[in-house]
Amino acid sequence: MSLRQKTTDLKKRMQGALQGGGEKAVEKQKATGKMTARERILAILDEGTFHEYDLFVEHAGKDFDMDKKYLPGDGVVTGTGNINGYPICIFAQDFTVAGGSLGYMHAKKITKIMDHAMKLKVPLIGINDSGGARIQEGVNSLAGYGEIFYRNTLASGVIPQISVILGPCAGGAVYSPALTDFVFVVDKISKMFITGPEVIKTVLGEDISMEDLGGARVHAEITGNAHFFSESESDCFEQIKKLVTFIPWNNSKKAEPFPSKHPKNKIFKIDDIFPTDSKKPYDVRKVIMAICDDSEFFEVQELFAANIVIGFARMDGQTVGFVANQPMVLAGVLDVDSSDKAARFIRFCDAFNIPLVTLVDLPGYLPGVDQEHAGVIRHGAKVLYAYSEATVPKITVILRKAYGGGYIAMCSNHLRADFVFAWPTAEIAVMGPEGAANIIFRSEILGSTNPEETRKKKIEEYKEKFANPYVAAAYGYVDAVVEPSKTREYIIHSLEIAAHKIEESPKKKHGIPPF
Ligand code: HXC
């Protein structure tokens, strides 16, 4: 055959492999509002940058007449490309081919692109749309998952790993996304669960739909397994592209800098956002937007444990991770879920050289039998661990309340914040004035002729003495009490000063965090 004939032959072979599961299966996929695997990849990557590999891989199934079946690409598309010019390794399971089920060669394709990502030190994006382990291939399918989980774990903290759930992701298959850094879900399309509705009905006699069991909202709002929720696949892809601009390619790099931009201070004015009445709630996200570049805050896990706010923004062009108590929700307390949420984010930022900016306003950890029995001790300890362990620049600003364990946990001086600033409105104390006065002046209050009047007086006395930043400042636990309008300037200066910070951790194989 001539070169031309061979090229024509190649094109024909490619056409066969590129057809996916065929017209009918593609139609079915589209009827459920889903894109095909290749369409998804092309929609995420910069135009013209996708290069596909292993198109001609064939499945290795022999039993149940599988040897007579042709499964194009063995149900998964893998390759490399760019997002906003950044290099990326990517795979997308193709549900139109045997339900995107994972057999031996399907898994090999995924682990090969994972190995590439690790070797090339670039982020990995995995699009999950699969019926799980390919039943006909038995233990080889399970082995495939094991190989993926192992690589997810080794890659953790080395390269960013992003999972996108765009269809079913059932059984043990869910553990790959769970091991990755960010999970994206799309309303009505994503479904994640360990055991499906049918098993639940058989074993427990409970009726539940797939959507109510493991739909996108469930994971974005209740379980916290998802980090980003969107209404459509295209919105989801825009979110992924945005996230990639905030994070570095790997743990030896910093996120790409952007031109510095002033916050939109006409819209986000601290004086208008922050209430004069110290009991009134406010939206801490607006404070972040009043401080950060262009008032652009990219929130992570917006719908889960909303009493803490986490996300990325830029200060003077550099990516930072914000962690902030949200006074609008449960007064911003730390509880089981918010501790989990914050601790994981802090560890991501630390692993990927992203400085942490912490905004503090909380009455402490949430009291209650439910919380105690749900393990608030263990989960709360994760925040202490994550902040103490983090060696990236750590800047803390105490806006208002910093009571008790909450004061310590929210990146205090004692957990080695590099700089702790406090607004003049800060109240740093063991507990709130009301609770404290009731305990320490109890006999005086009860023994007085007018207990209510005395209580009020004692609360005021306590407030005067402790509900301010100056006692902590007198001990050097607060580095500077700053005017709120100067917060941005102080943070940017601190980040500049701490940019080349080197902090050695004690030598060890690894710590044992309160997982
Ligand atoms: C082989 C599978 C498959 C699987 C789907 N298919 N799942 N083939 N192994 N696990 C095939 C179907 O036979 C069908 O092939 C095609 O994919 C499309 O599937 P449908 O059922 O027609 O699609 P739909 O109605 O949309 O239902 C999707 C589904 C359902 C909900 C995912 O297919 C399903 O329940 N599949 C099985 C899920 C499951 O139990 N997987 C194992 C989980 S255990 P044809 O040829 O008819 O088009 C697991 C262990 C991992 O994953 C452990 C790791 C530690």
Side-chain angles (χ1 to χ4, degrees):
M1 267 201 276
S2 68
L3 179 61
R4 183 184 292 227
Q5 284 167 323
K6 288 211 167 180
T7 308
T8 309
D9 175 57
L10 167 68
K11 283 186 180 159
K12 219 168 103 194
R13 284 169 189 261
M14 284 176 74
Q15 237 172 10
L18 288 170
Q19 69 184 345
E23 230 170 85
K24 250 192 173 169
V26 171
E27 251 173 48
K28 192 177 159 194
Q29 175 89 348
K30 302 246 171 178
T32 54
K34 301 197 308 187
M35 294 185 185
T36 63
R38 281 187 191 81
E39 282 171 351
R40 286 166 171 168
I41 291 179
L42 294 179
I44 293 175
L45 299 181
D46 297 346
E47 208 179 328
T49 63
F50 179 51
H51 287 73
E52 184 170 346
Y53 310 120
D54 291 335
L55 178 63
F56 298 125
V57 158
E58 292 191 11
H59 75 86
K62 294 187 182 70
D63 303 322
F64 305 106
D65 282 343
M66 284 301 282
D67 48 349
K68 298 186 186 76
K69 281 195 178 160
Y70 170 53
L71 304 180
D74 202 8
V76 62
V77 181
T78 63
T80 53
N82 299 97
I83 294 182
N84 302 314
Y86 304 173
I88 299 284
C89 284
I90 193 162
F91 71 84
Q93 293 180 307
D94 184 350
F95 194 83
T96 68
V97 178
S101 57
L102 183 138
Y104 178 74
M105 291 307 292
H106 178 120
K108 278 257 174 209
K109 280 182 72 169
I110 293 178
T111 53
K112 187 170 161 189
I113 201 71
M114 291 176 88
D115 290 342
H116 268 309
M118 271 296 267
K119 199 168 57 184
L120 309 174
K121 297 280 183 290
V122 300
L124 175 78
I125 298 177
I127 301 176
N128 295 258
D129 184 4
S130 162
R134 187 171 300 149
I135 297 161
Q136 299 91 326
E137 291 197 35
V139 71
N140 266 337
S141 310
L142 302 181
Y145 277 118
E147 293 292 329
I148 293 170
F149 301 161
Y150 179 74
R151 284 168 174 80
N152 283 138
T153 307
L154 291 196
S156 178
V158 181
I159 52 167
Q161 299 183 82
I162 293 168
S163 294
V164 197
I165 315 298
L166 294 180
C169 181
V174 295
Y175 285 114
S176 175
L179 287 166
T180 61
D181 303 314
F182 297 105
V183 177
F184 288 75
V185 290
V186 175
D187 201 19
K188 309 280 186 305
I189 287 180
S190 316
K191 313 269 184 286
M192 285 173 94
F193 40 75
I194 299 277
T195 49
E198 278 176 32
V199 177
I200 290 181
K201 172 83 184 160
T202 311
V203 177
L204 300 164
E206 290 172 11
D207 275 314
I208 188 153
S209 69
M210 253 194 219
E211 192 62 35
D212 290 343
L213 178 66
R217 273 201 183 276
V218 169
H219 290 300
E221 290 176 9
I222 302 172
T223 68
N225 289 328
H227 300 81
F228 295 96
F229 170 90
S230 41
E231 303 283 347
S232 68
E233 293 199 18
S234 47
D235 285 354
C236 169
F237 300 152
E238 290 311 311
Q239 284 182 331
I240 295 170
K241 290 183 210 178
K242 197 161 184 187
L243 172 67
V244 169
T245 66
F246 280 104
I247 59 179
W249 305 356
N250 61 55
N251 65 349
S252 71
K253 288 191 182 294
K254 288 191 173 179
E256 294 285 300
F258 272 60
S260 179
K261 280 187 179 169
H262 284 292
K264 293 174 176 146
N265 284 137
K266 278 197 182 139
I267 308 170
F268 299 103
K269 275 196 201 127
I270 290 179
D271 282 355
D272 294 345
I273 298 162
F274 194 74
T276 26
D277 179 349
S278 65
K279 288 206 182 82
K280 272 206 169 150
Y282 59 93
D283 188 347
V284 77
R285 291 174 299 188
K286 290 190 179 162
V287 175
I288 297 173
M289 289 188 253
I291 294 172
C292 70
D293 283 15
D294 205 24
S295 301
E296 189 191 2
F297 176 52
F298 187 53
E299 193 170 350
V300 177
Q301 286 188 303
E302 186 184 343
L303 303 174
F304 175 66
N307 39 327
I308 204 150
V309 169
I310 56 171
F312 300 106
R314 292 189 185 90
M315 297 294 290
D316 201 26
Q318 309 287 338
T319 295
V320 297
F322 270 96
V323 180
N325 308 115
Q326 174 57 290
M328 273 200 336
V329 181
L330 292 171
V333 286
L334 279 173
D335 58 4
V336 165
D337 284 343
S338 61
S339 297
D340 248 16
K341 172 176 164 181
R344 196 172 156 83
F345 182 70
I346 294 162
R347 297 195 92 205
F348 177 85
C349 290
D350 187 45
F352 290 102
N353 313 310
I354 297 172
L356 286 158
V357 179
T358 303
L359 304 185
V360 186
D361 187 349
L362 83 165
Y365 281 93
L366 181 62
V369 179
D370 285 356
Q371 283 293 309
E372 296 292 343
H373 288 186
V376 71
I377 297 175
R378 176 166 50 93
H379 293 288
K382 293 177 186 175
V383 181
L384 298 164
Y385 195 104
Y387 269 131
S388 300
E389 180 192 47
T391 56
V392 287
K394 297 187 282 194
I395 321 294
T396 301
V397 187
I398 303 173
L399 310 185
R400 205 164 59 174
K401 296 185 198 97
Y403 294 157
Y407 156 70
I408 306 169
M410 291 303 290
C411 204
S412 61
N413 163 284
H414 323 291
L415 306 188
R416 302 295 180 269
D418 297 296
F419 295 99
V420 177
F421 304 121
W423 284 4
T425 46
E427 300 173 16
I428 305 168
V430 173
M431 61 173 75
E434 286 79 6
N438 279 338
I439 294 169
I440 57 176
F441 304 119
R442 184 193 211 131
S443 44
E444 223 177 305
I445 292 170
L446 294 178
S448 72
T449 44
N450 187 342
E452 263 327 294
E453 200 54 40
T454 316
R455 190 191 316 276
K456 272 190 198 152
K457 232 173 83 194
K458 290 293 168 191
I459 289 172
E460 281 313 309
E461 217 176 277
Y462 182 91
K463 266 191 192 165
E464 186 67 24
K465 175 83 185 130
F466 288 117
N468 62 61
Y470 301 107
V471 179
Y475 285 103
Y477 300 145
V478 164
D479 297 294
V481 181
V482 302
E483 287 174 46
S485 61
K486 301 237 166 90
T487 310
R488 174 174 163 87
E489 184 195 319
Y490 269 86
I491 294 174
I492 289 177
H493 178 72
S494 313
L495 290 169
E496 264 172 34
I497 294 288
H500 305 290
K501 170 186 176 188
I502 296 173
E503 192 175 312
E504 299 287 336
S505 305
K507 197 168 161 18
K508 54 183 150 181
K509 188 173 175 190
H510 56 68
I512 304 151
F515 278 163

